[in-house]
Amino acid sequence: MKLFVLLNLMFGVVYCEKILAFFFFPAVSHQNALKPIAKELSLRGHEVTLVTPNPDYNSSLSNLTEIDVSVGYEPFQFYDLTKLNRDSVYLIDLVLMGHHLYEDIVIRQLKAKGVKELLQKPADSFDLILIEGNTPAYFGLQHIFNAPLITLSSYGTGTYYHHVFGNPIHPVLYPDIFAQLSGPISNLLDKIDSLYVTLTYHLMAEYYMFPRMDKLVRPYFGLDMPYIGDMVRNASMMMLNVNPIISERRPLSANVIHYYKLHTPKIEELPKDLQEILDHSKNGVVYFSLGTNVRFQFLGGNIKEIILEALGELPYTVLCKWESEYQENKPKNVILRKWFPQESVLAHPNMKVFVTQGGLQSIQETIPNGIPMLVIPFLGEQPMNAKILADRGIAEVIMPKFLKKEILRDTILKLANEERYRLKAQQLRDVYMDQPQSDMDKVIWWCEYVIRHRGAKHLRSPSADISLYEYFMIDIFICILVAICVIYKGFSLLLIIAFRILGQTSSEVKLKRQ
Ligand SMILES: *[C@@H]1O[C@H](CO)[C@@H](O)[C@H](O)[C@H]1NC(C)=O
Ligand SMILES: *[C@@H]1O[C@H](CO)[C@@H](O)[C@H](O)[C@H]1NC(C)=O
Ligand SMILES: *[C@@H]1O[C@H](CO)[C@@H](O)[C@H](O)[C@H]1NC(C)=O
């Protein structure tokens, strides 16, 4: 009996803790990357409150309470997300557009009934807060619930947040997402551009986005809340949905971890007709899908015709995710559907090339199948992903504004016919799949670690809390420079004095002689 109690004390420290998971961003891909964590925590015996724009209300998850913030989807009708890249707008407008979208979403969510009730709960309601932290807003939850906070992301994160956690942000080695480059950068103009992006984003975060968000959320989190930037600095850990081999390979502080394979692939049985089509396409299959955010009506021009004509000239069967199943002049080899079971399609042995917008989720579903990709990146982190995949030799990239029939057709043919792409893709698959532990176990372990120790201050990198001028040792250089100047000036003064004295004595000698 004693032994049992002892064992319980040793191993049972984290039993049934109360966890708040606030995964706010209204996009299915974000939610798919984050919600499994909340679900798993509840299955492992914790009492989880999940705030999400996509609640499932699965009654068999009895320890999971969901709060609906789907009002966050409303602002999207006012923003054309296909413009969210630097080929369409200036960097500053791009950052502003992203920020204003966040403000729009946050303010609607904070007014939602479920969130209002949540914010009324007593201060000790939770032992751990998880948030999706691509905006500073919800870091303010720490002030209400006085619990340690972990910030997560469904992709990487901006350089500003890396800086706050003490990760290196060298613009040549680790360009910001918006630089749309893959490090190390070799071209001088690209280097300058990357520095410009890092500095601009940094200054805008510091002097525009953070102060504005602070004003916006303060009435909801309490007027006595410390500055929102300090709330971000108070976070215990950052978890990024990133695999180093398909990212910038940035070194990480001890309180930042990567995870990337939370969901086990859903290889379901294909619908019968689809299975037959795939099995009988002995020449190979191309799968074309630009995801859920890219709407053809935003692309303008005759882009639809261009795409269809190019696909029609391929000697392969093409599965094409399209807005409707009917399209005038649809080529014979092209099959249009509103939706395909993507993971099962990609796993089919006849699959040759995937044409994608380069969202992280699609990439993560493609790599385990060793299939070359043609990336047509539109928004957010997609242009950067595209550059990285091309650098790794498994993809070709076409920027949307250069999309022409011949280019599209020829690039797909090249990817399908040149063996090197498939070889590289298979090599990448092998290193990608090889890992020491399941990522879900890793994420859960760290969550429970932060609960056990009421935070992870002890892991915080020293570089997180020094200013840029200290980081770049500017104070030291100035000191050395001053010292050199003083020594130089002092030395020349000494020389002058010495010459004066010498000159005087020699003229005195001269005078005496006269
Ligand atoms: C809920 O949590 C309790 C422990 O607090 C656990 O025994 C139970 O299995 C959990 N239920 C589910 C459905 O996960
Ligand atoms: C509900 O959750 C359980 C446990 O994870 C899962 O097996 C089941 O498929 C889920 N149901 C739905 C409708 O998603
Ligand atoms: C900072 O984090 C700790 C947990 O690590 C938490 O207890 C505290 O309330 C936070 N500070 C503020 C001002 O919210």
Side-chain angles (χ1 to χ4, degrees), residues 312-480:
E313 288 176 15
L314 294 170
Y316 314 117
T317 306
V318 180
L319 305 184
C320 187
K321 183 171 169 297
W322 209 249
E323 293 157 324
S324 78
E325 319 225 323
Y326 173 78
Q327 175 75 32
E328 255 177 76
N329 308 326
K330 179 186 83 67
K332 257 211 187 111
N333 64 329
V334 178
I335 290 142
L336 300 179
R337 297 263 164 98
K338 279 189 176 168
W339 182 82
F340 287 97
Q342 176 158 305
E343 297 190 68
S344 318
V345 166
L346 288 171
H348 195 276
N350 286 343
M351 187 55 58
K352 269 201 175 323
V353 176
F354 179 23
V355 185
T356 167
Q357 89 288 19
L360 193 60
Q361 213 183 0
S362 287
I363 294 172
Q364 291 182 341
E365 288 173 8
T366 314
I367 289 179
N369 295 303
I371 297 167
M373 284 172 259
L374 169 56
V375 188
I376 308 175
F378 283 91
L379 56 130
E381 88 282 12
Q382 294 165 2
M384 182 187 77
N385 290 342
K387 272 271 184 353
I388 290 172
L389 294 175
D391 265 8
R392 305 287 187 273
I394 67 163
E396 288 290 332
V397 183
I398 306 178
M399 294 312 285
K401 64 174 175 184
F402 297 125
L403 200 59
K404 298 261 160 21
K405 187 183 97 179
E406 292 76 24
I407 299 177
L408 181 57
R409 180 196 61 204
D410 295 348
T411 315
I412 294 176
L413 283 173
K414 187 166 139 194
L415 282 159
N417 291 325
E418 290 184 22
E419 193 59 14
R420 62 185 166 114
Y421 293 107
R422 185 163 280 271
L423 282 177
K424 282 275 187 211
Q426 286 167 352
Q427 279 170 8
L428 194 76
R429 171 195 63 197
D430 293 344
V431 285
Y432 182 89
M433 302 300 281
D434 209 354
Q435 58 174 158
Q437 99 198 94
S438 107
D439 276 343
M440 187 57 97
D441 286 344
K442 180 172 161 185
V443 165
I444 305 279
W445 189 87
W446 278 108
C447 288
E448 294 178 343
Y449 175 94
V450 170
I451 296 175
R452 277 198 294 277
H453 304 291
R454 286 219 34 88
K457 285 277 152 61
H458 48 281
L459 292 179
R460 190 165 169 81
S461 161
S463 62
D465 297 312
I466 60 175
S467 55
L468 273 182
Y469 82 88
E470 279 176 293
Y471 181 83
F472 286 113
M473 300 185 290
I474 291 176
D475 46 349
I476 301 180
F477 287 127
I478 290 179
C479 199
I480 293 175

Side-chain angles (χ1 to χ4, degrees), residues 16 42-43 45 60 62-63:
C16 184
S42 86
L43 288 173
S60 67
S62 53
N63 294 334

